[in-house]
Amino acid sequence: MPKTKFQSLKLPGIYRYLYFSSGVLLVAIGVIGIFLPMLPTTIFLILASACFIKSSPRANEWLRNHKVLGMYIKNYQDKSGLTIKSKIFNITFLWSMISVSAIFFTELLSIRFLLFAIAIGVTIHLLIIKTKKD
């Protein structure tokens, strides 16, 4: 992976420790998300990778090359695209979870609008990402 602007930063030890600890916690949450359908996996692994880039490039390479976890983030980070199947699944899951949250877990109209605005933004983002063949 090419060197990023974050890898060139020399952070004080405490910040590197906090980023590394956050990365480990985010990986753990991402792994739990594999088994719990209401908890997303990919976003936590992308955030973990960002933390590892700032704290430990070696840990980031481990995550990217992991035989199970790596597939969640490698295509996104390399900008090689998402399959149509994964786009359909992600958008369907996104809208169903946002709808359930907006209908059953809040009565505030402003929160409902915010949730649906987030869903629209994420949907647009997913649609813009390059589509790759299976």
Side-chain angles (χ1 to χ4, degrees), residues 37-54:
M38 292 192 63
L39 188 64
T41 297
T42 307
I43 190 63
F44 289 111
L45 295 177
I46 290 170
L47 291 171
S49 179
C51 289
F52 288 151
I53 286 171
K54 289 186 175 194

Side-chain angles (χ1 to χ4, degrees), residues 92-116:
T92 303
F93 187 75
L94 166 75
W95 278 95
S96 57
M97 291 300 107
I98 289 284
S99 298
V100 166
S101 297
I103 294 168
F104 296 111
F105 295 111
T106 186
E107 294 180 12
L108 296 173
L109 193 57
S110 59
I111 299 295
R112 287 180 178 170
F113 280 130
L114 178 63
L115 287 170
F116 286 118

Side-chain angles (χ1 to χ4, degrees), residues 65-84:
N65 295 318
H66 191 275
K67 68 179 182 176
V68 175
L69 303 178
M71 70 179 187
Y72 284 98
I73 60 171
K74 196 177 279 190
N75 289 338
Y76 184 84
Q77 288 181 335
D78 294 344
K79 295 182 173 47
S80 61
L82 297 172
T83 63
I84 190 72

Side-chain angles (χ1 to χ4, degrees), residues 4-19:
T4 66
K5 65 179 179 179
F6 297 113
Q7 288 174 322
S8 63
L9 295 176
K10 294 294 182 191
L11 296 172
I14 187 72
Y15 291 111
R16 286 193 0 249
Y17 174 77
L18 289 172
Y19 276 117

